[in-house]
Amino acid sequence: MSIQGLKKQYNKVSQFMIEKTGKDEGTPLDEEYREFERKTDATVTAIDLSVVKTKEFLQPNPAARFKLAMSGKSRNSQYPQPEGALGDTWIKVGTELGDDSAFGNALVDAGETMKQLSDIKDALDLNCKANFLDPLSHLLQKDIKEIMHHRKKMSGRRLDYDAKRRRQAKGSSITDDEIGVALEKFEESKQLAEEGMTNLLDSDVEQVSQLNAFIEALMDYHQQCCEVLESLHSTVSASITSSSSRVPRQRQPKPIIRQPTTAYKGGSSDDDFNPPPVYTPPKPSVRNSAPSKPCCKALYDFEPENEGELGFNEGDMITLTSRIDENWLEGEVHGQTGFFPDNYVEILVDL
């Protein structure tokens, strides 16, 4: 940056601090523009939160979301739907029960249905991503980003204009032509920012259409789920009717074959032998010292329910490695690494 540019930045910073301390007032913007800014900021917040919370709705497991994000856009990377995991379990245990087991056959049928529900859920994820999440993300990364750029540039040019006016009033060598040029740039940026915000607010029907596409995807998902579950219900109901009319098995218990008694060869005649207790040496005491690495202390026992979660007991000291989101942390304890909720621990040294 040139010396002239550094001076210009210094004057803008000085003007900003003077306005903050109340020693001078900047050029006021009209109320209509302020209202555009307020509505634009509210729209940006609505879009941003919609994207974040919709992802959590479609993929509620934060550990799986984190692994999926780390794997990038690989074709093999897919969110592990819980319906698919349950379906695999039912098919496995149902097959082990055998074809002659009514319960086993019902479990296999239910497992295959759960696998279908998993595929339907995958299709919902792709549909919502293509027709709802991606358009909103594109709007955030392009149009809204451009609007914020013009607003920031306008703010800087407004500071430059006011700084030159203030310096001229104090007897500086700033000419009217320089102030005129600064005013033109200020007005140009304000116009670009205002046009961008107007276009965003006037085109909100596009966001309504994208929201409607999300609603239609949910309707289609639930309709398909109902059809698949109704078919499973009919199959299992028929199995109940068939099994109820089945003739019970007639089985004669076989007697236990008695083995010859052998003499006991041992050093004691007592029936019950209790071995002596095993001596466990006391654990060496550890001197308390302030931890230097990011860590936390477990307030309660935590039993992992999903793949990738970290289990621990009350009082365990956990080394922190990263924060996944506002509710989940990643850490290490007893040689194991995984994810856990932050409300189960007390953070001693934050990341």
Side-chain angles (χ1 to χ4, degrees), residues 28-261:
L29 297 171
D30 57 273
E31 189 61 32
E32 184 179 8
Y33 180 86
R34 291 296 187 187
E35 183 65 13
F36 276 140
E37 281 191 327
R38 188 193 66 78
K39 290 183 178 180
T40 298
D41 291 340
T43 301
V44 172
T45 300
I47 294 174
D48 187 45
L49 287 178
S50 294
V51 171
V52 172
K53 294 303 179 181
T54 301
K55 289 180 179 178
E56 293 179 1
F57 167 73
L58 295 173
Q59 301 176 351
N61 187 336
R65 280 203 316 273
F66 178 75
K67 288 184 177 181
L68 194 62
M70 291 297 100
S71 65
K73 297 183 179 180
S74 172
R75 293 183 179 180
N76 296 327
S77 60
Q78 196 172 31
Y79 182 81
Q81 304 293 355
E83 294 89 347
L86 180 58
D88 289 335
T89 300
W90 279 351
I91 291 174
K92 179 181 178 181
V93 297
T95 303
E96 291 175 351
L97 286 174
D99 294 336
D100 58 342
S101 169
F103 182 42
N105 291 330
L107 282 174
V108 171
D109 291 336
E112 291 174 348
T113 298
M114 296 306 294
K115 297 282 284 183
Q116 293 182 49
L117 293 178
S118 176
D119 293 338
I120 297 173
K121 186 67 180 296
D122 286 336
L124 171 66
D125 288 355
L126 293 175
N127 191 342
C128 292
K129 183 177 184 300
N131 299 311
F132 184 63
L133 291 175
D134 284 352
L136 291 182
S137 298
H138 178 76
L139 185 64
L140 284 171
Q141 296 166 7
K142 187 178 179 182
D143 295 352
I144 292 177
K145 186 177 181 180
E146 185 177 352
I147 291 171
M148 295 305 175
H149 168 74
H150 287 310
R151 283 174 54 175
K152 183 178 180 180
K153 196 169 184 179
M154 184 215 67
S155 179
R157 287 182 169 180
R158 198 272 304 165
L159 288 172
D160 180 57
Y161 168 68
D162 286 336
K164 288 178 178 177
R165 284 196 310 112
R166 177 176 57 82
R167 291 169 60 203
Q168 186 189 53
K170 288 186 174 182
S172 177
S173 59
I174 300 295
T175 64
D176 291 340
D177 289 341
E178 290 180 278
I179 293 179
V181 171
L183 178 59
E184 288 178 4
K185 291 183 178 181
F186 173 30
E187 291 177 341
E188 177 188 8
S189 293
K190 178 178 179 294
Q191 182 179 355
L192 290 173
E194 195 165 358
E195 287 176 357
M197 291 188 291
T198 303
N199 292 335
L200 174 67
L201 298 175
D202 288 347
S203 63
D204 61 348
V205 67
E206 295 181 8
Q207 286 79 66
V208 177
S209 299
Q210 291 150 9
L211 178 61
N212 190 50
F214 175 73
I215 296 170
E216 290 176 350
L218 281 180
M219 291 173 59
D220 185 55
Y221 163 72
H222 288 293
Q223 182 178 357
Q224 292 185 59
C225 289
C226 286
E227 292 174 357
V228 171
L229 289 173
E230 285 175 357
S231 176
L232 174 64
H233 180 259
S234 300
T235 302
V236 174
S237 297
S239 176
I240 293 174
T241 303
S242 175
S243 299
S244 300
S245 60
R246 185 174 56 190
V247 178
R249 300 177 185 177
Q250 299 296 329
R251 184 176 180 276
Q252 183 66 32
K254 295 181 179 180
I256 298 175
I257 300 175
R258 300 182 62 181
Q259 301 293 331
T261 304

Side-chain angles (χ1 to χ4, degrees), residues 273-310:
F273 174 71
N274 296 322
V278 178
Y279 172 72
T280 304
K283 296 182 179 179
S285 60
V286 180
R287 297 177 62 185
N288 293 329
S289 61
S292 59
K293 296 182 178 180
C295 63
C296 61
K297 181 179 180 182
L299 300 177
Y300 319 100
D301 295 347
F302 178 66
E303 295 293 335
E305 297 181 355
N306 300 295
E307 181 183 358
E309 294 180 348
L310 177 66

Side-chain angles (χ1 to χ4, degrees), residues 323-336:
R323 173 172 286 278
I324 307 305
D325 56 24
E326 59 183 6
N327 298 318
W328 287 78
L329 297 164
E330 181 183 25
E332 180 181 356
V333 66
H334 304 314
Q336 301 291 326

